[in-house]
Amino acid sequence: MTDGPLVPLQAGQDLVHPLMEDLNRFLMVYKFGLAEVSTKITILAEELTLRGRDNPIEHVTTRLKTVTSIAAKARRVGCELTFDDLRVTIRDIAGVRIVCSFVSDVYTVADMLTRQPDIKLLMTKDYIAKPKANGYRSLHLIVEIPVFMSDRVVTVPVEVQLRTVAMDFWATLEHKIYYKHDSEVPASLRAELVEAATDAARLDQRMERLHQEIHGPR
Ligand code: 0O2
């Protein structure tokens, strides 16, 4: 892969096709990294179900950051628009979101995943233990996974977000209502969003307690 700057383009040069090719090659490994992590999660969910244990995973989604979103984040964090710099600095180009049933499941699944010998845990941000000021709760991991190509092995960073259904409900709607919204949202409405996050956290606690009372500890 060439590793020149993504910009600037010069007038009259057909830089678009080679650039698209480089971009596709750059993004390809992240796509494969996502597939690797997704397969691991599918195996965990199916194996637990086959062993007659409760499947702690409700659903899983994956996303590759768009080129626009990568460029915006690069600008925000002061990263040069070169493939080398992007590779090192932007570690959430590949993202997997695992929605679990209960809070304890979030940690169990995170542990099952990060204990696998080919996965390297690079960073943990525990927004459940320490929610963001706006009420956001989730467990974020940056993991590195090897991807076996035809001629080399590439290690790819993947952001894994783990959260409960209640956390996901709040975050999905808050994303629509407010997160990274350009216009000002009145403080009273922001306070209500924090309150709603507290309600979601209470609901998580209650559902986990009910589950334990009926089925015993997970
Ligand atoms: P999208 O559309 O979900 O992919 P940054 O990425 O610069 O915001 P950082 O430190 O790299 O910050 O990442 P951080 O804060 O650990 O997590 C970023 C991702 O977590 C976001 O991805 C969201 O998915 C989610 N997130 C973090 N904070 C909030 C929040 O307050 N509300 C909601 N709804 N989601 C949040 P993206 O790429 O910003 O967006």
Side-chain angles (χ1 to χ4, degrees):
M1 181 193 297
T2 56
D3 221 335
L6 295 182
V7 287
L9 297 178
Q10 282 170 21
Q13 273 183 277
D14 180 17
L15 290 180
V16 174
H17 285 101
L19 182 63
M20 288 307 291
E21 238 172 66
D22 282 351
L23 255 179
N24 285 336
R25 236 179 281 160
F26 173 74
L27 289 175
M28 173 179 75
V29 293
Y30 293 97
K31 192 175 129 207
F32 297 152
L34 274 185
E36 294 277 2
V37 176
S38 293
T39 302
K40 284 179 176 297
I41 298 159
T42 305
I43 290 172
L44 284 178
E46 284 191 22
E47 192 233 2
L48 288 168
T49 307
L50 284 172
R51 279 172 50 193
R53 293 182 45 190
D54 262 358
N55 175 9
I57 298 166
E58 294 293 336
H59 58 267
V60 179
T61 51
T62 61
R63 71 107 181 81
L64 266 190
K65 251 193 193 324
T66 60
V67 173
T68 312
S69 168
I70 295 171
K73 181 158 182 177
R75 247 194 319 276
R76 208 166 58 243
V77 300
C79 168
E80 292 277 324
L81 285 179
T82 67
F83 291 128
D84 269 350
D85 285 347
L86 292 172
R87 203 177 284 121
V88 172
T89 311
I90 315 277
R91 294 191 297 179
D92 63 346
I93 293 176
V96 178
R97 185 171 292 151
I98 308 173
V99 177
C100 298
S101 321
F102 301 101
V103 178
S104 59
D105 294 334
V106 163
Y107 293 100
T108 306
V109 173
D111 194 48
M112 283 175 177
L113 196 63
T114 53
R115 265 193 289 119
Q116 300 193 3
D118 54 344
I119 286 218
K120 186 170 166 195
L121 178 63
L122 298 181
M123 193 172 72
T124 302
K125 283 192 198 168
D126 191 344
Y127 295 125
I128 299 175
K130 199 169 180 305
K132 286 178 62 172
N134 65 355
Y136 177 78
R137 290 156 70 238
S138 279
L139 178 67
H140 290 193
L141 313 173
I142 304 284
V143 299
E144 199 171 60
I145 184 151
V147 169
F148 293 82
M149 313 288 280
S150 57
D151 56 350
R152 68 209 149 100
V153 181
V154 186
T155 50
V156 182
V158 177
E159 183 189 64
V160 183
Q161 296 183 352
L162 298 112
R163 49 171 78 152
T164 63
V165 182
M167 294 173 200
D168 192 51
F169 170 75
W170 182 91
T172 304
L173 298 189
E174 189 264 358
H175 201 286
K176 281 200 176 147
I177 298 169
Y178 177 63
Y179 186 53
K180 292 187 178 172
H181 206 274
D182 288 336
S183 65
E184 261 314 298
V185 173
S188 60
L189 296 190
R190 274 185 276 135
E192 259 197 80
L193 280 170
V194 178
E195 242 175 72
T198 309
D199 290 344
R202 274 202 213 102
L203 193 57
D204 266 335
Q205 281 173 0
R206 179 181 246 176
M207 297 309 269
E208 182 134 13
R209 180 181 52 76
L210 287 173
H211 188 270
Q212 280 197 11
E213 279 177 17
I214 296 168
H215 298 279
R218 274 175 95 64

